[in-house]
Amino acid sequence: MILKPQTFSPSREVIEMSEADNLKKMRVFSRQWGGSLFGVADLRSFKKEEILLPPSLIDQLFYGISVGFHLSDAILEEIENQPTPLYFHHYQRVNILLDTIGLIVTSAIQDLGYQAIPIPASQIVDWKTQKGHLSHKHVAWAAGLGWIGRNNLLVNEQLGSRIRLVTILTDLPLVINSPSIKDCGSCLDCLSLCPAGAIKVRQEEFDHLRCYEQLRTFAKTLHFSHNICGVCVKACRGPR
């Protein structure tokens, strides 16, 4: 009689423990390097046209780790009706830090024998539509870190829009968070402060063109190499 070798099939409980352990490890790495927020999204729910990467890549690396950094409240408070040189420098350095966190988490994932790709915190790859490889704020929304507010930015329940984001794609099994179902409610703090008049009561009516033109004006007149504003970021402290 020939005995067939037994195969081990891990139970769902064992798989869930592994996913939770992986999540804890990656969250710790993120926090140690300055990450304020951490969540995981399932990118398989995204439409293919929403991500400017090969569909086959997303099919393989469908866990989207979203990491947020809490911007300096003191720097934001100095903004009145236009971005300041200090905010511009802060914005640049935070992007660099987020990219560093993306590299650290990627390295940790690869050490575990899995694959990962850090998506730059601020990089335009389609200049016609002003899009990056993917939308960090929509990944963060899917990862339960907040909702898309009237200002067209991610709004976190504790930090408002005073955050910057980075995304890491991976095949490392992780616990996936649920998208936020909250919204801005009755808060209209950003509406009247927008220098471009781009923010409306209805989030879906946000005027992207007006916002972009105002960003370009700031970059030109203030001699900044990035299109930034910060007025609505300052205004959004989260629901009160």
Side-chain angles (χ1 to χ4, degrees), residues 171-210:
D171 59 355
L172 175 69
L174 296 162
V175 177
I176 294 174
N177 301 112
S178 300
S180 174
I181 58 173
K182 296 184 178 182
D183 57 33
C184 294
S186 60
C187 179
L188 300 172
D189 288 355
C190 63
L191 207 64
S192 62
L193 298 178
C194 177
I199 302 173
K200 312 298 179 183
V201 174
R202 291 168 55 86
Q203 189 278 327
E204 57 269 30
E205 294 179 356
F206 180 85
D207 195 325
H208 294 265
L209 183 57
R210 277 193 178 186

Side-chain angles (χ1 to χ4, degrees), residues 75-85 87 189-199 210-211 213-219 221-222 224 228-235:
I75 289 177
L76 287 170
E77 289 302 326
E78 293 302 310
I79 295 175
E80 292 300 332
N81 55 4
Q82 64 182 27
T84 64
Y87 175 64
D189 288 355
C190 63
L191 207 64
S192 62
L193 298 178
C194 177
I199 302 173
R210 277 193 178 186
C211 176
E213 289 177 343
Q214 183 63 66
L215 298 183
R216 291 188 64 185
T217 298
F218 281 148
T221 58
L222 300 174
F224 292 163
I228 63 171
C229 176
V231 174
C232 67
V233 176
K234 172 190 176 180

Side-chain angles (χ1 to χ4, degrees), residues 32-56:
Q32 287 177 338
W33 283 85
S36 309
L37 302 173
F38 186 98
V40 180
D42 186 345
L43 299 182
R44 291 172 295 185
S45 62
F46 282 54
K47 296 179 181 178
K48 299 300 182 183
E49 60 270 20
E50 292 177 337
I51 302 179
L52 304 183
L53 290 166
S56 58

